[in-house]
Amino acid sequence: MVAGWFTGEGDGFRLLGTRCAACRSVFFPREDTYCRNPGCSGGDLEEVPLSRRGRVWSYTDSRYRPPSPYVTDPELPWEPYALIAVELESERIVVLGQAVPGITVADLTVGMEVEVVPGVLDEDTGTTWTTWWWRPAGVAR
Amino acid sequence: MTADVAVLGAGMHPWGKWGRGFVEYGVQAARAALADAEVDWPEIGSIVGADTVRGGYPGYVAGATFAKALGWQGAKVTSVYAACASGAQAIDTARAQILAGMADVVLVVGADAAPKGFFRPVGGDRQDDPDWLRFRVLGATNPAYFGLYARRRMAVHGDTLEDFAQVKVKNAAVGALNPNARYRKRVTAEEVAASAVVCDPLRLLDICATSDGGAALVLSSMEFARRRGVADPVRIRAVSTVTPRYPHTVLDLPDIATDSAAGAEPAGEPFRASIARAAYEEAGIGPEDLSLAEVYDLSTALELQWYEDLGLCGGGEAAKLLREGATSPGGRIPVNMSGGLASFGEAVPAQAIAQVCEVTRQLRGQAGDRQVVGARVALTANQGLFGHGSAVVAVR
């Protein structure tokens, strides 16, 4: 969906952020202009893949259809999806994402390990918009 | 020089779904505030409007829009936008003009005509806008964030759905007594539990609605108030408009991720707590001095979070404070005696002004059946999208 936010396929799939060469702050979504740490003199921002696994900081779901610009087909019944906020230990950052389809809030607990996998946000006849999904670690798709 | 400004007048347009334009709500609120202040509109030296993004250009230039509707009279004019903190920034702007001697008496107005259902970003294809992106990429509505906070409180502090429901029960009971509130019916815990889940674990009655409404204040220098024979007005003693400090480590609207703490240690004080601390420091008071507080209860669970961030109790103790009745009418520190957003719903640029209208009535002893007996010091607290602090300390 958004250029440069993730890369790779299968087990090689990773979220992409940037990291300040001076202070080691990590930014996601990527920050390509300035390091935003006010205590940093400012270093080069280098693209960096984020950790593949993290722990659930919190989670919720969306029982009602979100408004535009979220893309859904109003002709189809609404299928709720879960949203998971995931804490990445080495980057010390929390990243929000949708859970893989079929994972509901009943499957989740705060603190459990999840991993990032490639996902599909939406597709029509000509285009597939890819995204990232979180899924409980070690669960087969 | 005193750091106080006087609240000479407070006025509101009742909240609801009226189906009219925001200008009408703002003008009615302004006229009510002017009448309450016994100040004529042509005497106003400056008007500050809190902007609404839902009114096209007139909404973006709310100050001039209200001034035109009231009748051009040559006042200074300002329009401010800070999302939910717009009203607090409008108050702060008026106060700065008064304290700087640039204006003696200022009219502050905020009003909104909100659409039904979820708030959504303004239109277009805007991939550089974090608010647009969180909807497009994640479908993350405002209640989704409320749900995340609520679930986190349950996991970390052991809050229960029953605790959340009791916030609604408390606020609805006082909102039922407030003629400006949209919802004026008491609610039971059973009704909360029976309402539909919107974003787990929060139900429809845990989450505030979107509303139409307006609120206005007439603020003046203390000298102007004395000249008008108002010897002991409600006074604004502090306005907090602070940003977070890097790294902001709590996932906040409208962000997809937090700041990373890999390059700098977090301050140890979350953003909402820093909003309150800035207000306390400026006013020279602490939480123990408060007679009442109005907080931004976008959800029931978020009201509990504010108890801790305002220092009304220790971390994780909010549900206990609620259960003890401390934040209920007659308690040690009543919270949201207006009925809160639970009873009003969001009318974004008006709400922070409405909070000050409520505490003005309370500090004057004019709050009727909702009156906090002997109220002397009040705090309002709010938070605007994109990192806008918002808190006001008013005293009598």
Side-chain angles (χ1 to χ4, degrees), chain B residues 184-273:
Chain B
R184 301 200 52 202
K185 188 170 98 38
R186 297 174 76 93
V187 170
T188 65
E190 292 72 25
E191 287 169 320
V192 179
S195 65
V197 175
V198 176
C199 287
D200 175 272
L202 296 178
R203 296 173 178 276
L204 190 62
L205 293 184
D206 285 301
I207 293 171
C208 73
T210 59
S211 290
D212 296 355
L217 294 166
V218 175
L219 306 180
S220 80
S221 64
M222 293 303 294
E223 192 194 341
F224 183 96
R226 273 193 294 275
R227 285 204 304 271
R228 290 305 176 100
V230 185
D232 184 26
V234 171
R235 300 150 197 241
I236 289 179
R237 187 149 284 174
V239 183
S240 167
T241 62
V242 296
T243 72
R245 276 170 295 168
Y246 186 89
H248 185 23
T249 57
V250 176
L251 190 70
D252 228 336
L253 277 162
D255 294 329
I256 289 175
T258 63
D259 291 333
S260 154
E265 274 307 306
E269 176 192 57
F271 176 39
R272 275 186 291 273

Side-chain angles (χ1 to χ4, degrees), chain A:
Chain A
M1 171 58 213
V2 189
W5 283 21
F6 45 80
T7 188
E9 293 176 6
D11 287 349
F13 183 81
R14 293 286 189 284
L15 289 172
L16 289 176
T18 56
R19 184 169 57 204
C20 174
C23 76
R24 314 302 287 170
S25 289
V26 175
F27 299 98
F28 181 85
R30 55 189 304 140
E31 172 62 68
D32 287 300
T33 314
Y34 305 107
C35 175
R36 297 201 303 265
N37 176 0
C40 176
S41 56
D44 291 338
L45 293 161
E46 304 157 338
E47 185 171 283
V48 59
L50 303 188
S51 300
R52 189 161 162 259
R53 289 192 174 191
R55 292 194 178 275
V56 173
W57 182 82
S58 192
Y59 57 93
T60 185
D61 61 9
S62 195
R63 303 280 177 101
Y64 291 85
R65 196 186 304 272
S68 171
Y70 192 70
V71 179
T72 68
D73 184 347
E75 300 295 316
L76 298 177
W78 174 244
E79 293 288 340
Y81 56 84
L83 279 166
I84 314 180
V86 179
E87 202 162 12
L88 305 181
E89 190 179 9
S90 64
E91 293 87 353
R92 300 182 70 189
I93 193 172
V94 175
V95 178
L96 189 60
Q98 292 185 352
V100 298
I103 293 292
T104 73
V105 291
D107 303 313
L108 300 169
T109 55
V110 169
M112 80 187 292
E113 191 170 39
V114 293
E115 61 191 5
V116 73
V117 296
V120 175
L121 187 63
D122 189 41
E123 50 194 341
D124 62 22
T125 50
T127 316
T128 297
W129 286 274
T130 53
T131 189
W132 70 95
W133 282 335
W134 294 113
R135 121 184 130 186
V139 173
R141 283 187 76 188

Side-chain angles (χ1 to χ4, degrees), chain B residues 22 48-63 78-91 93 109-112 119-122 126 129 131 134 142 241 254 296 346-350 383-390:
Chain B
F22 79 98
V48 185
D51 296 350
T52 167
V53 298
R54 280 169 285 275
Y57 271 115
Y60 294 130
V61 290
T78 311
S79 298
V80 300
Y81 184 69
C84 291
S86 298
Q89 291 215 347
I91 292 167
T93 301
V109 192
D112 206 356
F119 279 140
R120 65 194 66 187
V122 292
R126 293 178 296 106
D129 174 356
D131 195 48
R134 54 123 170 175
N142 291 10
T241 62
Y296 218 48
E346 284 196 85
V348 170
Q383 177 186 355
L385 199 72
F386 299 110
H388 289 99
S390 166

